Structure formats: C-alpha cells, structure tokens
Amino acid sequence: MRVPLSWLREYVDLPATETGRDVQAKLVSAGLEVETVEHLGADLKGPLVVGQVLTIEELEGFKKPIRFCTVDVGQANGTGEPQEIVCGARNFQVGDKVVVVLPGATLPGGFSISARKTYGKTSHGMICSGDELGMGDDGSHGIIVLPPETEVGKDAIELLELVDEVLDIAVTANRGDCLSIRGVAREAAIAYGLPLRDPALLDVPGPNAFGYPVQVSDPLGCDRFTARTVTGLSPEARSPLWLQRRLQKVGMRPISLAVDVTNYVMMELGQPLHAYDRTLVRGTIGVRRAEEGEQIVTLDGVERKLHAEDLVITDERGPIGLAGVMGGANTEIADHSETEGTTDVVIEAAHFDAVSIARTARRHKLSSEASRRFERGVDPAAAAAAAQRTVDLLVLLAGGTAEAGVTEVVAPSAPHTISVPADHPDKVAGVSYGRETVVRRLQEVGCDVYGQDELIVTVPSWRPDLQEINDLAEEVIRLEGYENLPSTLPRPPAGRGLTHRQRLHRRAGRALAGAGYVEAPNYPFVSEQVFDQLGLEADDPARRVVRLTNPLNDEEPALRTSLLPGLLGALRRNDGRGSHDLALFETGLVFLPRSEQRVAAVLPVDRRPTDAEIAELDAALPEQPRHVAVVLAGAREQAGWWGKGRPADWADAVEAGRLVAREAGAELVVRGGQYGPWHPGRCAEFVVVVDGAETVVGHAGELHPRVVKAFGLPARTSAMELDLDVLEAVGDDTPQAPAISTFPVATQDVALVVDKFVPHAEVETALREGAGELLEGIRLFDVYENEEQLGDGKKSLAYALRFRAGDRTLTVDEASAARDAAVALAGERTGAVLRG
C-alpha cells in the first residue's frame, strides 16, 4: 500500500517537522512494515511553469514528426516573450495549456535543461510529459495537457504536487484495514497520540423504497449491498489534477472521471466500489452464485467460464460482474464524447465473503485491487459512507445529480465480542501493563471495553482479524512497543536427542560433504513430463505420482518420486552460470502413492487426537521414504602442478553409493544393471538382502546421452540414487573398534581370466566365499584386456588377497590352500581360470 504523506496529513495533524522517515519509524514501531520511503521530486528544480501553445510549425525532412512551437509562459522567462521550443509529441494543439520546463531547471534523474540547437532550430526548454516529470502513466502516453482554466505562468511543481513523500507499506494478510489511507491514518494517529479525522464519518441518508432494485440471493456471500444512482454527469468532465495525482502516487492510472472517483474512494476508505452505466443495466441487480458453465467478459476483455462457487453480480440478462473481483464489459462506463459518454451511473458498494472472493480470484488468476482488499477484510460498516463519498464527488466534479433513492440490503448480524481477563496481555508479554493501559490501548484501536477484572470487548467493524483473546493481547503489546518487551531465554525441556533415522541422515550428509559434494536441497514439486526426459518406461512405478489439488505452480503439480529431477536442474543452472566442475547431493523425501487411496480425516482441535485417529491419518498419507542422490559433472580432481587431474565418471557415482552404505553399516552388492536415465553399459545396480531376498535399492553410473540432451546437461554427467530407509533397515551402524592383530598378514595375488561380460562383483563374491574365514580383505587392483594374449572376449582381473589368523602366524601352505579354494570356487561359478 502506497501512502502519500500529503494525503495522510489531511486526516492526522502530524507535526510540520515530521518527515517520511520519522513517520516510517513510528509506524514500524507500531507493527506496520514500511518497506521504503520514496522522495518524489527530490532532485527536481524549477523553473517549471504552465504555458499556452501559441503556434505550431511542422518541420519537414526528418525521420519522425518534429514540431517547432512558440509557447506563452507569462513572466516566468523574465521577458514575457513567447518561448521557442522543439517538440516531437503530437497530442496537443494550438491553445492548449501545457507544462514547460525552462533552461536552468533540473528534471528527475539529474537531467539538466539548457537552450540547445536541434533539428535546425534552437529549443529554449521542453514541453513535458508525465514520465519526464516522474509522475507515472496518465493514460495519454504523451504531453501533459492541462485544463483550459489553468493560469499561464503558474508554478507547475506546486500545481502538479510533484514534491511529496510516499510510504510503501507491506500490509500483512490480517491487516486489510491498512489497505487504505483511512486505516494507515488511524495507526499514525495512535502512534503520535493525535486525534483522527475519520473520512468515513459522513451524513448518509437512510435506505428508502426509491432506490435502484437489488436482490441478494446469497446473504452468506454478500451480507451488505448499497446502491446509489447519479444522473446528468457531463461526459466531457475530466478528473481534476489533484485527483489524478493522488491516484498516480498510490500506484494507479487515471482512466476516466467515474472510474477515477471509485478508485479514489477505495484508496481513501478501503471499500471497493464499482460504477455501472445505468443505461446498460437491464432490470434488477442481483447477487448469486454462478451457474456452472456461465460465461462473462470482464473489463480486461477476457471471456471467462464461471464456476458454480463464483459469486456474481447479475441483471436480467445474466452475469455483469465477478463480485468483488472485476466488473463485466457489458456495463462498462463509457468516456468518449458528448454523444457516447456515460451520463447516468449506478454505484455499488457491497461487502462480500473474504474466502469466496479469494477463491474466485485464484480460480480465474485475476487479482485486482478490489479482490486484494475483500480477501483480507473490508469494513462492512463503511459501504454506505463510501457510496455517499462517491456520489458527492461525482456531483461536485461532473455536475451530476444524486437521486433520492437509496438501496441498502443488509443481512442481520451482531458485533463480535470477546471476553478477556484484564491481565491476559500481561501474562502473554511477561510485562505488567495494568488494566488502565490495556483498556486505553484497546479503545484506541476502536474497541468498546466494559468490565473490571474480566473485560467485555466489542471489536470494531474494520478489524475482522480480532477474533480471540490473544489477538487483543497482541494489539496491546504492539502499541506499547515490541522493543519494550524483556529478552528472556526459553528453557526447553530435555529432549530425547535425534532419532536413529535423523542420525543416519546427518552422517550420510557429512560423509558426502567430506567427499567433496555440495548439498543442494530442491523443491519436491515436479511436472509429469520430467519422466519422459528421464527415459522411464510407460509402466514404471516412478510415474505414479501424488498430485496436488492446489499446486504452487501449474506446471509442476505433482510430488517427486525421485530426487534426480531437482538435482539435475540445479546442476544445469550452475553449469549455465559458469560453474562447470560440479558434485551435488541431496537427502530428502520422495512421495509414493499407496495402492489404496484414502481420504484423510479432519482431526479435532479441541483435544489431542487419539492414537487410532493419528494412525488413520498416517494411513491416508502417501509413503514417504528418504532417498539420497548425487550428480557429478566436469573435473573430479583438478589439474595442477601436482598432476593432470581427472574427470568425474560413473565410478565416482558408484563410490558415493558405497560411501553412504558404509555409513549405514549395510552390506551393498554392486553389479551391472540397466534402468531409466542411466547409460545401459555404464549403470551399476545396488542390491541388499532383506529377509533373505535380494532387493534393489538404487542405481549409479553415467546418464544416457538422451537424458543429458533432454536436461541440457554437460556431457558424461553421472548420477546416483539410493533408498536410505532400506539401508537403515538392513544395516548395523554400531561402531566397531578395529581389531589389531599381533600376527603378520599373508598376501597372495591372483590374476583370473574371465569372459568380458562377467561382472567383477560376481568374481569377488566367489573369491570371498571360497577363501573362508582366513580372508581379511580383498582388493581389485588391475583390469587387463588384450585379445592376442588373453583371447577374444576375455579380460584379466587381478586381486590382492590378505589372509590372517587371530591366534597364530599362517604358514605358506595355509595361505596358498585358502587362495586355491577361492580360485576354485570362482572358476566353478564364473568360469575363471588363472592367468598363465
């Protein structure tokens, strides 16, 4: 909400010495978030005056139209002679009053004005547009043309109110009253301890039987509807400069007199209004829910299909407006000429249900100034005053006549009252305010307060956010000053520490970080098209997703079943910004829909849910296992004086999986595999044994070139993903002290020739089992391929076997026998033979 300080001073007699910064400090102390104070015209220096165009000469021979003008600026130039000015704009003519900046002046942005030769003429100044003066868009997209009655030579800085300070306030969702000058003025009056001149305190005639007919069919959606009629408006009447400038300062564009007046009153009082061309409204104005499939063309020219929950304004033809959001084009105010312009208007000032308006605005993706206010809470008691204020301005500025008929449809309602102990704010804040302070502060915000120890508080109509006793306590605390609250450290009860799952999660993250990976958490939302990019089969279980009813982004309406889409997107963004050597990881939840879909029960709020109710709620939620994933690209080891370095490859991704498994204390079997996004010849499959059966818990390796291209990734990008919950279930991460033996180790090397398609993991498993209990460790230290020496389709795997006994020194025969047993079992299972 933009609040001009000059407008604020109309309702609160702020000290003349108070600047925008001073007011900002006061309002911030009272709990309003004033983000900035804009100094309009801070670097503007005159002379800037009103001039009248005397002559216009069209200059020929240039690429764009150029005009050489003489302008009467009175005595502002010191001579009284016409000022010669070159101008390229064409929206003015001889006799028009315009804004002229003379040599020696400075325009916003530090642009100095001097006489200069251009287009073969000497221009002594400029004829100004609104943008050049920092006024914003006035709808003309050209030179400012002033009303004919404006005095020549008058100071335009004062006339156009170019110097002002504007407070930009970030209004929270619960303070809809502060989306108006009236609401902010009330806060300023409280902060300074000054009286408020409430602009809503007007003499309003009571409803009668002569007003425009209105029928409200949905009193829950619309509990108040006021209609007033003004006739005989001059179609040629323009919004005065002061009104246009105030709208520009609050961030709105002047359109036409009738529309500008309704916008002005909305900004002043916080009550959205709408003006209908009376000649275009057919019959009774109604308020009802839309019929499914009805359509309306709104003022922005868009045809919208209505939902059955939309609240609409109607006449006998059907919808003529989306209630509280935007009017319809079929009753739009015309403002063109004396024959076509609107002369009779019906003013609507209504109060609509906040939730209904918010849902309609979101459903149609149509946020307006009106909907912003209604969904945050509008003062229902201000509707009649806002309608009266609009009528008064239209009569004053457009020469209209207010009809005597007043329509007011009101659903009966009682004011909201709250019973609160007088010392409740003291208990909440830990400060002794006392009853008198509590009562005074509540009365300042507009509450009626009665009682002694137990206060009966009637909430003002403009504060719908005050619903219960803690809301009242907050009002007292914020007005007394948050900065005056004592700082005390909380004393939390002793906890039970981290769960086993949390500890594993942290250990896995620390281990990956220690290995050079950077954590990159991502949003859990994905589009279903990402599974095509990952190359998943049509029947892949990962394609079954949980869809959100109200997603933050319509392009990502589903919850992720894999961590890879987010990580690959992060890798792509970082690579595109110049970071080419990347190693990222994430640990987080994935969401898998259950085979049986259940509707979650609504849990009670007046008591703790029972264990059965919590179990029923959990059963309705999707499964949420925790996964860990890494992605790599670029150099894994940097080149330098210490060596050539090396690029990241599939083996690094596999090692990341092994690293996580070691942290979980799980025995991970690595073997060749093929799945989705991974290259079929460079993909490892991770397997663990669960209840005696092998279970695939993840994959690692180099991504398929098609996936790399689809995501826009660097070539040879590798990735790994593991189910961390399954590793936790099968692992034993109890710390094991290292065994230190006093007996020496016996090392035996073997080189086995196997077929190329035989995985190293199968050979290693057979060697382990065949070697028996004496085997302490095994390590693959060489892979050799040579068709001439080994034969076609063969490879050599060289292993170092370490043997040790805990109670004696092994003999050569014992170590050799264990080695031979290992080789024999490997030959039996994989066809391995010792290399000669």
Side-chain angles (χ1 to χ4, degrees), residues 27-39:
L27 293 179
V28 168
S29 178
L32 292 186
E33 185 180 349
V34 184
E35 292 188 326
T36 60
V37 178
E38 183 179 352
H39 298 271

Side-chain angles (χ1 to χ4, degrees), residues 527-538 543 706-707 710-711:
S527 67
E528 295 184 62
Q529 288 72 29
V530 77
F531 301 121
D532 296 328
Q533 294 176 293
L534 289 174
L536 299 186
E537 299 291 339
R543 284 183 175 270
R706 286 197 298 267
V707 175
F711 279 91

Side-chain angles (χ1 to χ4, degrees), residues 272-295:
L273 301 109
H274 190 71
Y276 301 93
D277 188 328
R278 183 176 178 178
T279 62
L280 300 179
V281 179
R282 300 288 183 263
T284 300
I285 292 178
V287 183
R288 61 169 172 82
R289 298 288 173 176
E291 297 177 4
E292 192 69 42
E294 276 189 309
Q295 295 183 340

Side-chain angles (χ1 to χ4, degrees), residues 437-458:
T437 299
V438 172
V439 171
R440 175 172 57 84
R441 288 303 190 182
L442 293 178
Q443 289 175 338
E444 285 177 345
V445 299
C447 296
D448 291 329
V449 185
Y450 302 96
Q452 293 299 317
D453 294 337
E454 191 74 18
L455 303 179
I456 305 300
V457 180
T458 302

